[in-house]
Coordinates of all heavy atoms in Angstrom, one line a residue:
V28 N 89.0 128.3 96.4 CA 88.9 129.0 95.1 C 88.6 130.5 95.3 O 89.2 131.4 94.7 CB 87.9 128.3 94.2 CG1 87.6 129.2 93.0 CG2 88.5 127.0 93.7
E29 N 87.6 130.7 96.2 CA 87.2 132.1 96.5 C 88.3 132.9 97.1 O 88.5 134.1 96.8 CB 85.9 132.2 97.4 CG 84.7 131.7 96.7 CD 84.5 132.1 95.2 OE1 84.7 133.3 94.9 OE2 84.3 131.2 94.4
A30 N 89.1 132.3 97.9 CA 90.3 132.9 98.5 C 91.3 133.3 97.4 O 91.9 134.4 97.4 CB 90.9 132.1 99.6
R31 N 91.5 132.4 96.5 CA 92.4 132.6 95.4 C 91.9 133.8 94.5 O 92.7 134.6 94.2 CB 92.5 131.3 94.5 CG 93.2 130.2 95.1 CD 93.1 129.0 94.1 NE 93.7 129.3 92.8 CZ 95.0 129.2 92.5 NH1 95.9 128.8 93.5 NH2 95.5 129.5 91.3
V32 N 90.6 133.8 94.2 CA 90.1 134.8 93.4 C 90.2 136.2 94.1 O 90.6 137.2 93.5 CB 88.6 134.5 93.0 CG1 87.9 135.7 92.4 CG2 88.5 133.3 92.1
A33 N 90.0 136.2 95.4 CA 90.2 137.4 96.2 C 91.6 137.9 96.2 O 91.8 139.1 96.3 CB 89.7 137.2 97.7
E34 N 92.6 137.0 96.0 CA 94.0 137.4 95.8 C 94.3 137.8 94.4 O 95.5 138.1 94.1 CB 94.9 136.2 96.2 CG 94.9 135.9 97.7 CD 95.7 134.6 97.9 OE1 96.4 134.1 97.0 OE2 95.5 134.0 99.0
G35 N 93.3 137.8 93.5 CA 93.5 138.2 92.1 C 94.0 137.1 91.2 O 94.4 137.3 90.1
K36 N 93.9 135.8 91.7 CA 94.3 134.7 90.9 C 93.1 134.2 90.0 O 91.9 134.5 90.4 CB 94.8 133.5 91.7 CG 96.1 133.9 92.4 CD 96.5 132.8 93.4 CE 97.8 133.1 94.1 NZ 97.9 132.4 95.3
R37 N 93.4 133.5 89.0 CA 92.3 133.0 88.1 C 91.5 131.8 88.7 O 92.1 131.1 89.6 CB 93.0 132.3 86.8 CG 93.4 133.3 85.7 CD 93.9 132.5 84.5 NE 94.8 131.4 84.9 CZ 94.4 130.1 84.8 NH1 93.2 129.8 84.4 NH2 95.3 129.2 85.2
R38 N 90.3 131.7 88.3 CA 89.5 130.5 88.7 C 90.1 129.2 88.0 O 90.5 129.3 86.8 CB 88.1 130.6 88.3 CG 87.3 131.6 89.1 CD 85.8 131.6 88.8 NE 85.2 132.7 89.6 CZ 84.9 132.5 90.9 NH1 85.0 131.3 91.5 NH2 84.4 133.5 91.5
P39 N 90.3 128.1 88.7 CA 90.7 126.9 88.0 C 89.7 126.6 86.8 O 88.5 126.9 86.9 CB 90.6 125.8 89.1 CG 90.7 126.5 90.4 CD 90.0 127.9 90.1
H40 N 90.3 126.1 85.8 CA 89.5 125.8 84.5 C 89.7 124.4 84.1 O 90.8 124.0 83.8 CB 90.0 126.8 83.5 CG 89.2 126.7 82.2 ND1 89.5 127.4 81.0 CD2 88.1 125.9 81.8 CE1 88.7 127.1 80.1 NE2 87.8 126.2 80.5
L41 N 88.6 123.6 84.1 CA 88.6 122.2 83.7 C 87.8 122.1 82.4 O 86.7 122.7 82.3 CB 87.9 121.4 84.7 CG 87.7 119.9 84.3 CD1 89.0 119.1 84.3 CD2 86.8 119.2 85.4
A42 N 88.4 121.5 81.4 CA 87.7 121.3 80.1 C 87.5 119.8 80.0 O 88.2 118.9 80.5 CB 88.5 121.8 78.9
A43 N 86.4 119.4 79.3 CA 86.1 118.0 79.0 C 85.7 117.8 77.6 O 85.0 118.7 77.0 CB 84.9 117.6 79.9
I44 N 86.2 116.7 77.0 CA 85.8 116.4 75.6 C 84.9 115.2 75.7 O 85.3 114.1 76.3 CB 87.1 116.1 74.8 CG1 88.0 117.3 74.7 CG2 86.7 115.6 73.4 CD1 89.3 117.0 74.0
L45 N 83.8 115.3 75.0 CA 82.8 114.2 75.0 C 82.6 113.8 73.5 O 82.2 114.6 72.7 CB 81.5 114.6 75.7 CG 80.4 113.6 75.7 CD1 80.8 112.3 76.4 CD2 79.2 114.2 76.5
V46 N 82.8 112.5 73.2 CA 82.6 112.1 71.8 C 81.4 111.2 71.8 O 81.3 110.2 72.5 CB 83.8 111.3 71.3 CG1 83.6 110.8 69.9 CG2 85.1 112.1 71.4
G47 N 80.4 111.5 70.9 CA 79.2 110.7 70.8 C 78.2 110.9 71.9 O 78.3 111.9 72.6
H48 N 77.3 109.9 72.1 CA 76.2 110.1 73.0 C 76.0 108.9 73.9 O 74.9 108.5 74.2 CB 74.9 110.4 72.2 CG 74.9 111.7 71.6 ND1 74.6 112.9 72.2 CD2 75.3 112.1 70.3 CE1 74.8 113.9 71.4 NE2 75.2 113.5 70.2
D49 N 77.1 108.3 74.4 CA 76.9 107.2 75.3 C 76.2 107.7 76.6 O 76.6 108.7 77.2 CB 78.3 106.7 75.7 CG 78.3 105.6 76.8 OD1 78.1 104.5 76.5 OD2 78.5 106.0 78.0
G50 N 75.1 106.9 77.0 CA 74.3 107.4 78.1 C 75.1 107.6 79.4 O 74.9 108.7 80.0
G51 N 75.9 106.6 79.8 CA 76.7 106.8 81.0 C 77.6 108.0 80.9 O 77.7 108.8 81.9
S52 N 78.3 108.1 79.8 CA 79.3 109.2 79.6 C 78.6 110.6 79.7 O 79.1 111.5 80.3 CB 80.0 109.1 78.3 OG 80.8 107.9 78.3
E53 N 77.4 110.7 79.1 CA 76.6 111.9 79.2 C 76.4 112.3 80.6 O 76.5 113.4 81.0 CB 75.3 111.8 78.4 CG 75.4 111.6 77.0 CD 75.3 112.9 76.2 OE1 75.2 114.0 76.8 OE2 75.3 112.8 74.9
T54 N 76.0 111.3 81.4 CA 75.6 111.5 82.8 C 76.9 112.0 83.6 O 76.9 112.9 84.3 CB 75.1 110.2 83.5 OG1 74.0 109.8 82.6 CG2 74.5 110.5 84.9
Y55 N 78.0 111.2 83.4 CA 79.2 111.5 84.1 C 79.7 113.0 83.8 O 80.1 113.7 84.7 CB 80.4 110.5 83.8 CG 80.1 109.1 84.2 CD1 80.4 108.1 83.4 CD2 79.5 108.9 85.4 CE1 80.1 106.8 83.8 CE2 79.3 107.6 85.9 CZ 79.6 106.5 85.0 OH 79.3 105.2 85.4
V56 N 79.7 113.3 82.5 CA 80.2 114.6 82.1 C 79.2 115.7 82.7 O 79.7 116.8 83.2 CB 80.3 114.8 80.6 CG1 80.5 116.2 80.2 CG2 81.5 113.9 80.1
A57 N 77.9 115.5 82.7 CA 77.0 116.5 83.3 C 77.3 116.7 84.7 O 77.3 117.8 85.3 CB 75.6 116.0 83.1
H58 N 77.6 115.6 85.5 CA 78.0 115.7 86.9 C 79.3 116.4 87.1 O 79.4 117.2 88.0 CB 78.1 114.3 87.5 CG 76.8 113.6 87.8 ND1 76.7 112.2 87.8 CD2 75.6 114.1 88.0 CE1 75.4 111.9 88.0 NE2 74.7 113.0 88.2
K59 N 80.2 116.3 86.2 CA 81.5 117.0 86.3 C 81.3 118.5 86.1 O 81.9 119.3 86.8 CB 82.5 116.4 85.3 CG 83.0 115.0 85.7 CD 83.7 114.2 84.6 CE 84.0 112.8 85.1 NZ 84.6 112.0 84.1
V60 N 80.5 118.8 85.1 CA 80.2 120.2 84.8 C 79.5 120.8 86.1 O 79.9 121.9 86.5 CB 79.3 120.4 83.6 CG1 78.8 121.8 83.5 CG2 80.1 120.0 82.3
K61 N 78.6 120.1 86.7 CA 77.9 120.6 87.9 C 78.9 120.8 89.0 O 78.8 121.8 89.8 CB 76.8 119.6 88.3 CG 75.9 120.1 89.4 CD 74.6 119.3 89.5 CE 73.9 119.5 90.8 NZ 74.3 118.6 91.9
A62 N 79.8 119.8 89.2 CA 80.8 119.9 90.3 C 81.7 121.1 90.1 O 82.0 121.7 91.1 CB 81.6 118.6 90.3
C63 N 82.0 121.4 88.8 CA 82.8 122.6 88.6 C 82.1 123.9 89.1 O 82.7 124.7 89.7 CB 83.1 122.8 87.1 SG 84.4 121.7 86.5

Side-chain angles (χ1 to χ4, degrees):
V28 168
E29 291 320 312
R31 288 175 60 82
V32 171
E34 288 170 18
K36 293 176 182 155
R37 279 183 319 107
R38 289 184 182 280
H40 181 185
L41 174 68
I44 300 176
L45 179 57
V46 180
H48 291 277
D49 173 82
S52 295
E53 292 268 2
T54 310
Y55 295 138
V56 169
H58 285 153
K59 288 168 190 176
V60 170
K61 184 166 168 269
C63 282

